[in-house]
Amino acid sequence: MTDTSIGRRTVLIATGATAATLAVGATLPEAPTTAPTTAADQQPAAAAAVCTLTKEMTEGPYYLDGQLVRADIHEDKTGIPLKLTLTVVDDDTCAPLDSALVEIWHCDALGEYSGFVGGNGHNEPDNGRFLRGGVLTGADGVAKITSVYPGWYRGRCIHIHIKVHTDVTLTSDGSFEGGQELHTGQLFFDEAITMRVAAVPVYAANTVPRTTLAQDGIYDDGGAASGLLTLTALGSSTTAGYAGALTLGVETS
């Protein structure tokens, strides 16, 4: 299936970290901070940044409603550790959004999505839940989620799907309902790092040819403004994993 982008206005805050070329060992951007003086002075550090317009990305065919609100979504999936720090801010004021639900979903090392296992040609157990979920941001606008580095499926580069919701209601079964969806996008990975990840046995077992970042029909080479993560190595080897960070501005009105 070929995804197409949709023209909905959001912005991505172009901080020094997010605008830089990705490299292993890059410094993660700090969460926005405030100063206890005047109201103007109390704007977060991100307020000094230039707000850059970016288009949203298609939701794609693998979204499922009613996923769990949880910080660790990897369950029993093997793969290279991935620790995401995603900061959500208002596009007009650059102020962080408190209690926004940041929801992500992506495929496993074999390119299979929970709820749709077999779509990439591999057989494995399917609980309809692995590698799906989200967390609420804190007062600093930060959501931290633990997962594994995604694999790939036919026709797409490695990526993660993301939605941002506000005013959701948490349910007794650990999920959420209601609220307003402010953003639908995708997160992307530096190709040099992905090449090393793809050589690790659990990923190399994927029998489907891999589409590179440059070949992808959705990613538009826009860097951080198009969802390209800033990645930092968690150790001296590829298998130690990566931290990924991005500051995402959304239109709230």
Side-chain angles (χ1 to χ4, degrees), residues 80-95:
I80 292 172
L82 178 66
K83 296 184 180 296
L84 294 170
T85 299
L86 304 170
T87 305
V88 183
V89 298
D90 182 278
D91 75 308
D92 292 321
T93 65
C94 295

Side-chain angles (χ1 to χ4, degrees), residues 180-246:
Q180 179 183 5
E181 183 182 306
L182 298 183
H183 175 71
T184 299
Q186 296 183 26
L187 308 177
F188 297 95
F189 296 78
D190 178 70
E191 183 64 24
I193 294 175
T194 289
M195 287 178 64
R196 294 195 287 272
V197 170
V200 174
V202 66
Y203 294 88
N206 190 341
T207 58
V208 172
R210 186 172 70 82
T211 297
T212 67
L213 190 66
Q215 295 169 334
D216 190 67
I218 301 300
Y219 180 67
D220 61 3
D221 201 29
S226 296
L228 192 63
L229 291 162
T230 295
L231 297 175
T232 304
L234 294 175
S236 58
S237 67
T238 299
T239 55
Y242 295 91
L246 194 67

Side-chain angles (χ1 to χ4, degrees), residues 152-172:
W152 62 91
Y153 55 96
R154 191 175 303 278
R156 287 301 316 279
C157 69
I158 286 179
H159 63 281
I160 291 175
H161 295 271
I162 183 170
K163 285 183 181 287
V164 177
H165 314 257
T166 54
D167 300 320
V168 301
T169 300
L170 302 184
T171 59
S172 60

